[in-house]
């Protein structure tokens, strides 16, 4: 017992000695901070603000990094290591003393920085906002540096390892993302982005791990729990590594075989992943082959650097073989598992409603919120502007047929992606995402289903409510209405048509007739029909895309409308490009432009007559029905 | 007592220590000698657990010595390639080390710096190699350790200082019942002060014995006989090496010299016969020669 007490007292003395030893470093650090954070901003006239606090944190981080690295450098010099290790003091005491003295060093510098901020009038909330994520980063850095130093054999390697170790969670994220991309390639109908987002939202919480989540949030115990978790893990790991450290390997880049393997495999994964963006448009087989080749090459080079030899050991070869085997099993397993799910297409009779659209999120009715489409509620989709929740059985059948067609063949004459969300009668839901690859062939196989849907009143009312939904039209307040005229030379001018001199009822009627004709012709690709946020079909963009003769510019009227819907704060905006293809609307606007009163009267008369006929027709149908 | 039992260690595929067994007793100086790169420093670092053995144990006072063990309070190690913390003087280092060694004696420290004429306030980094060695030795002695491990401690010292060293060391060992293990190539000096010697070669202890029995066991005989001498064999002796200079033969013998003399006289008419004393260096060369080390002749094809 007596001996143990003596050791404890020694450890305390050792800490005090180390703290005294830090005095010069501390004074130098204070001088650096005074010059760069107080004197320089005053001379330059930029003043002391939140940016200076960020610079201060960066300086403290750098000073802490260098200081801690130097203190831990005894791991990297055989003489020093032997000297300290031969003294009757425990490894734990040496690490504790190193950590505590550096903590005190960082703490005092942070206090100095806060004092600079407060005395310069930087609001405390601004300082707090910077400190919330950065102070835990500094603390984690303090623990990571001795760990990295114990794992490595020289100080430069320790510095590099510290940065690598700090970013391991991020590196793993890149690997996980790549994994999901592979899944997305094999699993037809599965969206890698959504799988990945769902993974990081539910399991791999980077925002919590790096304390970013807490920046704008109120006080939370989680913050301290996560920090404590980091400290416990890193401290335990450091003691474990120091205990098992092969001191005889001091001078090597990395002294721990396990860490060497982790680094080799990590880099052998990350480097090909980094390059994989270059091969994004190639086939999955080419991408996997390039991954394996680049991975092998990186693994060999990393081994050559770490081992300081171009010869690779049998163990390293075995390890790489295991890694590739694991990768192969992942790819194969994904392929097999995906195969079981990707062919699932529901029967139309089982479906109560279905969403079909290109956007990955939808707006709420009042534009105040968004929801990811893969987990949006049925009623939210229903209320979302322009997003169509199809309930008409014929439309559901068409969508199911389109779904089957896409499973058979993912080629399309225009690259595009779209989502399908089925809502079953029994309350279940099924989400699928498809990316279509671009094909030179203008194949209408998929379009036939789309145009069938596009010509239903369900589609028209939801997508183009201004034209097709009378209830909707009655509920809006027109804020502005403008028409620009654009001639063949693309010269554009305001022609003075506004809501005071245009008959909106006639305009809507003309638009309705023209859109009916355009939609009936069944031309135009998926994107322009399915895009949620751009409901009104734009013929010109389509023409340009497939380069038909119509791409030749003609006279165009550009209609811009701003309106407000009842109690919804945000104004809505729609626009139409009216070319000669929109015969009736074009004629009406041209008449207005030319101020041809005679012709205008004729149009108004024709419209009134048409309306009367429509009323008569309804009445006669009613009386016939009554007679029957 | 400090005992090393079956210590084995490999650096990757290279075996640096193989089944090392050593016993060092209190009040004794143990001389650890060996060929270059044979593993002497490595062995000392294993005693301190700076390096961990793959198998075997180090025992001190019957207890297994492990890293972080409180037994290390009794140990002091002076390494060959000395290290002193940045900017330290002998005085500041003494203060620093006082934190670790509860028996650190200021009185002895002052006495020793006076004896070695060292400036205790001079920065250690500005001292010569020999001065640094003296400084390290002063600290080691002032710590009053029970186990003192010295690695090439007299390397770089002049003869006068060496003599001072040995004087202090012998006195301390006798007075404080200290265990001292000295790794050194200064075989002639070790010969005079060592009680026990371990000879290392290629990671193995090829011989470990008291100096007396080592000398008893290995002998050099000088003799001349009528006619040509051919090596003779006996039950209780073994001729290790024979060299002829003029008409006189020099034989290095392991075992009993009397029986060799008797066997020689039975076979030859012996004209001269005398037994010569062997020093540690000769014993060392003989032992290593037995392993094939250093037996090559420069002009030999």
């Amino acid at each position: 017992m007596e001996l143990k007490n003596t050791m404890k007292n020694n450890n305390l003395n050792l800490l005090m000695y180390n703290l005294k030893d830090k005095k010069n470093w501390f004074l130098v650090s204070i001088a650096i901070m005074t010059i760069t954070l107080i004197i320089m901003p005053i001379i330059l006239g930029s003043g002391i603000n939140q940016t200076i606090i960020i610079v201060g944190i960066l300086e403290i981080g750098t000073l802490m990094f260098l200081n801690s690295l130097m203190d831990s450098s005894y791991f990297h010099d055989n003489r020093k290591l032997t000297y300290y290790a031969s003294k009757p003091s425990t490894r734990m005491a040496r690490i504790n003393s190193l950590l505590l003295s550096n903590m005190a060093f960082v703490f005092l510098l942070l206090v100095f920085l806060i004092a600079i901020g407060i005395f310069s009038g930087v609001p405390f909330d601004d300082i707090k906002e910077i400190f919330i994520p950065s102070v835990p980063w500094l603390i984690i850095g303090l623990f990571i540096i001795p760990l990295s130093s114990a794992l490595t054999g020289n100080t430069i390697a320790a510095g590099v390892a510290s940065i690598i170790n700090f970013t391991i969670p991020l590196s793993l994220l890149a690997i996980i993302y790549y994994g999901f991309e592979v899944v997305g390639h094999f699993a037809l109908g599965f969206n890698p982005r959504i799988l990945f987002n769902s993974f990081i939202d539910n399991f791999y919480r980077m925002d919590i791990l790096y304390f970013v989540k807490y920046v704008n949030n109120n006080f939370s115990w989680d913050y301290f729990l996560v920090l404590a978790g980091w400290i416990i893990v890193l401290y335990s790991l450091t003691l474990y590594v120091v205990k098992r450290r092969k001191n005889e390997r001091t001078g090597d880049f990395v002294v721990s075989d396990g860490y060497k393997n982790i680094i080799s495999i990590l880099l052998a994964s990350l480097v090909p992943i980094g390059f994989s963006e270059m091969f994004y448009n190639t086939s999955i087989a080419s991408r996997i082959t390039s991954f394996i080749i680049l991975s092998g090459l990186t693994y060999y080079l990393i081994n050559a650097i770490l081992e300081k030899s171009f010869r690779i050991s049998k163990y390293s070869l075995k390890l790489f073989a295991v890694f590739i085997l694991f990768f192969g099993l992942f790819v194969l397993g994904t392929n097999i598992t995906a195969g079981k799910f990707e062919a699932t297409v529901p029967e139309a009779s089982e479906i109560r409603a279905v969403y079909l659209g290109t956007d990955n999120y939808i707006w709420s009715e009042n534009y105040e919120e968004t929801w990811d489409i893969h987990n949006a509620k049925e009623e939210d989709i229903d209320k979302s502007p322009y997003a169509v929740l199809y309930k008409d059985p014929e439309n559901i059948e068409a969508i199911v047929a389109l779904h089957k067609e896409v499973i058979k063949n993912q080629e399309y004459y225009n690259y595009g992606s779209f989502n399908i969300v089925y809502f079953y009668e029994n309350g279940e839901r099924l989400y699928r995402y498809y990316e279509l690859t671009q094909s030179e062939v203008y194949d209408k196989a998929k379009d036939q289903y789309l145009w069938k849907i596009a010509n239903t009143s369900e589609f028209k009312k939801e997508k183009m409510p201004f034209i097709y939904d009378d209830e909707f039209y009655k509920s809006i307040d027109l804020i502005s209405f403008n028409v620009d005229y654009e001639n063949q030379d693309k010269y554009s001018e305001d022609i003075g048509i506004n809501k005071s001199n245009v008959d909106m009822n006639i305009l809507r009627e003309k638009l309705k007739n023209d859109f009916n004709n355009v939609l009936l012709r069944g031309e135009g690709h998926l994107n322009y029909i399915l895009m949620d946020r751009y409901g009104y079909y734009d013929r010109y963009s389509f023409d340009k895309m497939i380069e038909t003769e119509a791409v030749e510019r003609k006279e165009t009227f550009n209609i811009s409308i701003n309106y407000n819907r009842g109690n919804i704060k945000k104004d809505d905006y729609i626009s139409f490009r009216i070319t000669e293809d929109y015969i009736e609307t074009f004629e009406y606007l041209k008449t207005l432009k030319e101020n041809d009163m005679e012709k205008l009267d004729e149009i108004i008369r024709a419209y009134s007559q048409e309306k009367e006929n429509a009323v008569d027709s309804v009445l006669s149908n009613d009386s016939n029905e009554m007679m029957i | 007592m400090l005992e090393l039992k079956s210590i084995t260690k490999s650096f990757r595929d290279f075996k640096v220590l193989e089944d090392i067994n050593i016993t060092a007793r209190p009040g004794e100086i143990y001389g650890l000698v060996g060929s270059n790169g044979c593993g002497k420093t490595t062995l000392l670092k294993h005693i301190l657990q700076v390096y961990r053995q793959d198998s075997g144990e180090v025992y001190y006072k019957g207890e297994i010595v492990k890293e972080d063990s409180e037994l290390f309070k009794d140990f002091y190690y002076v390494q060959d390639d000395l290290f002193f913390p940045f900017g330290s003087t002998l005085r500041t280092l003494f203060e620093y080390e006082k934190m670790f060694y509860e028996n650190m004696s200021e009185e002895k420290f002052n006495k020793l710096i006076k004896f070695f004429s060292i400036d205790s306030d001079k920065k250690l980094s500005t001292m010569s190699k020999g001065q640094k060695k003296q400084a390290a030795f002063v600290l080691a002695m002032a710590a009053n350790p029970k186990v003192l491990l010295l690695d090439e401690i007299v390397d770089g010292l002049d003869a006068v200082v060496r003599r001072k060293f040995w004087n202090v060391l012998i006195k301390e060992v006798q007075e404080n019942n200290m265990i001292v293990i000295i790794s050194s190539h200064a075989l002639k000096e070790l010969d005079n002060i060592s009680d026990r010697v371990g000879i290392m070669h290629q990671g193995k202890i090829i011989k470990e014995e008291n100096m007396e029995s080592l000398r008893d066991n290995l002998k050099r005989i000088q003799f001349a006989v009528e006619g040509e001498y051919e090596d003779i064999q006996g039950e209780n002796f073994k001729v290790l090496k024979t060299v002829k200079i003029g008409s006189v033969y020099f034989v290095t013998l392991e075992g009993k010299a009397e029986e060799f003399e008797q066997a020689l006289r039975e076979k030859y008419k012996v004209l001269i016969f005398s037994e010569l004393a062997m020093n540690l260096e000769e014993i060392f060369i003989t032992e290593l020669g037995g392993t094939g080390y250093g037996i090559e002749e420069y002009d030999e094809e």
Side-chain angles (χ1 to χ4, degrees), chain A residues 3 10 79 83 91 245, chain B residues 52 67 70 82 97 99:
Chain A
L3 288 175
N10 287 350
R79 294 176 318 138
Y83 177 79
R91 288 162 295 194
R245 188 175 195 271
Chain B
R52 271 180 305 278
E67 205 175 348
E70 293 196 6
L82 289 169
E97 295 205 345
M99 290 191 293

Side-chain angles (χ1 to χ4, degrees), chain A residues 3-4 6 10 13 17 78-80 82-84 87-88 90-91 243-245 247-248 252, chain B residues 9 11-12 45 50-52 67-68 70 73 77 79 81-83 93 96-97 99-100 102:
Chain A
L3 288 175
K4 280 186 181 168
T6 316
N10 287 350
N13 290 337
Y17 183 89
N78 241 319
R79 294 176 318 138
K80 270 193 204 180
T82 306
Y83 177 79
Y84 289 115
K87 299 296 162 208
T90 60
R91 288 162 295 194
K243 194 175 174 186
R244 294 183 58 93
R245 188 175 195 271
N247 289 332
E248 62 272 18
D252 288 2
Chain B
K9 175 75 175 182
F11 288 173
R12 298 188 193 278
K45 287 184 179 177
V50 176
Y51 297 165
R52 271 180 305 278
E67 205 175 348
D68 292 346
E70 293 196 6
K73 274 172 20 55
Y77 176 54
Q79 53 183 328
D81 198 0
L82 289 169
F83 166 78
L93 202 53
Y96 175 68
E97 295 205 345
M99 290 191 293
F100 302 109
E102 57 190 15

Side-chain angles (χ1 to χ4, degrees), chain A residues 550-564:
Chain A
V551 78
E552 197 181 307
R553 294 298 293 254
K554 297 172 183 172
E555 288 177 289
T556 308
F557 290 97
N558 292 316
I559 305 174
S560 313
I561 304 168
N562 270 301
Y563 64 84
N564 185 270

Side-chain angles (χ1 to χ4, degrees), chain A residues 10-28:
Chain A
N10 287 350
N11 296 340
L12 191 66
N13 290 337
L14 189 63
L15 173 64
M16 294 313 291
Y17 183 89
N18 283 348
L19 282 173
K20 257 195 265 173
D21 211 31
K22 284 261 171 287
K23 189 181 71 188
N24 290 339
W25 257 105
F26 179 71
L27 292 174
V28 169

